Amino acid sequence: EVQLVESGGGLIQPGGSLRLSCAVSGFTFNNHWMHWVRQAPGKGLVWVSRIDSGGGSTSYADSVKGRFTISRDNAKNRLYLQMTSLRAEDTAIYYCARDSGPGGAYYFDQWGQGTLVTVSS
Amino acid sequence: DIVMTQSPDSLAVSLGERATINCKSSQSVLHRSNNQNYLAWYQQKPGQPPELLISWASTRESGVPDRFSGSGSGTNFTLTLSSLQAEDVAVYYCQQYYIAPTFGQGTRLEIK
């Protein structure tokens, strides 16, 4: 059974930092690109970042570029999102999501349950 | 960015009736090299993550009931539920993956 389990969310003050983690199981992690997608409370879905299967190539939405860093540890089957200089508008549920294609198709066939990040003083 | 616009924002349909959700992209998501539309549909039930229903505009994912179907090409797409069931109550999103992924604003589907 494919499982993606996010952790690391919580309440953080503006300007603070947080690292999210996604533990995966049930599939060959290093065969898939991975993504982070977020959803502000009561709002729609927004793609945040992706990383290729080897970890050598990344890309980001303009809204987080320079502040967020995606990474992965294929030996530990874990995906990460390091978030710095957090703003109120970063408040959202953060989902890790598996890319459907082996070479990066940019649509998402498996999702975690999400972890809530709240940026507030 | 490609802007995805769904219509309507919400929809109420009687059980057993057809539901149709539209999605329009601000530029074509049809890739001429492979004649594929880079368009997916997701279902999100309350308190749950999204679930992939359809990719490549019309390819249903394994395990998705055949009452769900996708159609369209270029900039105009449709998700059709042929006979609404109670468990279909959800928010539905379209997403383009022609370039950096963007989603529609969502369509809330309810029972009339």
Side-chain angles (χ1 to χ4, degrees), chain B residues 6 13 27 29 31-32 39 42 49 54-55 89 106:
Chain B
Q6 293 181 226
V13 173
Q27 67 184 73
V29 299
H31 211 295
R32 296 294 181 186
L39 191 285
Y42 301 85
I54 287 170
S55 57
V89 170

Side-chain angles (χ1 to χ4, degrees), chain A residues 12-58:
Chain A
I12 187 77
Q13 291 190 339
S17 299
L18 210 55
R19 188 173 89 150
L20 306 183
S21 179
C22 175
V24 312
S25 60
F27 66 97
T28 304
F29 183 57
N30 59 15
N31 279 355
H32 286 267
W33 292 27
M34 296 294 295
H35 302 258
W36 289 97
V37 178
R38 69 185 182 185
Q39 186 171 35
K43 302 297 185 182
L45 300 164
V46 177
W47 173 79
V48 172
S49 181
R50 70 88 180 152
I51 188 166
D52 73 351
S53 54
S57 173
T58 60

Side-chain angles (χ1 to χ4, degrees), chain B:
Chain B
D1 288 6
I2 297 178
V3 177
M4 307 299 290
T5 303
Q6 293 181 226
S7 61
D9 288 334
S10 63
L11 181 62
V13 173
S14 301
L15 289 173
E17 296 299 306
R18 177 185 298 260
T20 301
I21 299 170
N22 299 301
C23 175
K24 185 175 180 66
S25 57
S26 61
Q27 67 184 73
S28 176
V29 299
L30 173 62
H31 211 295
R32 296 294 181 186
S33 66
N34 57 9
N35 204 38
Q36 293 277 14
N37 287 283
Y38 284 52
L39 191 285
W41 288 97
Y42 301 85
Q43 175 192 66
Q44 186 176 32
K45 297 181 179 179
Q48 295 186 22
E51 177 184 344
L52 178 65
L53 296 175
I54 287 170
S55 57
W56 307 109
S58 60
T59 302
R60 208 167 33 243
E61 293 299 298
S62 174
V64 174
D66 61 7
R67 64 180 179 273
F68 290 90
S69 64
S71 63
S73 185
T75 61
N76 290 285
F77 301 90
T78 299
L79 175 69
T80 301
L81 286 76
S82 60
S83 176
L84 185 70
Q85 306 299 305
E87 61 265 32
D88 300 333
V89 170
V91 178
Y92 292 84
Y93 294 93
C94 62
Q95 178 230 329
Q96 66 78 21
Y97 46 101
Y98 187 85
I99 56 173
T102 50
F103 294 85
Q105 79 278 17
T107 294
R108 186 175 303 276
L109 179 58
E110 300 171 331
I111 295 173
K112 186 186 292 182

Side-chain angles (χ1 to χ4, degrees), chain A residues 22 24 29-30 51 71-80:
Chain A
C22 175
V24 312
F29 183 57
N30 59 15
I51 188 166
S71 63
R72 65 192 294 162
D73 186 333
N74 285 345
K76 294 182 177 179
N77 282 2
R78 281 187 177 263
L79 174 72
Y80 303 100

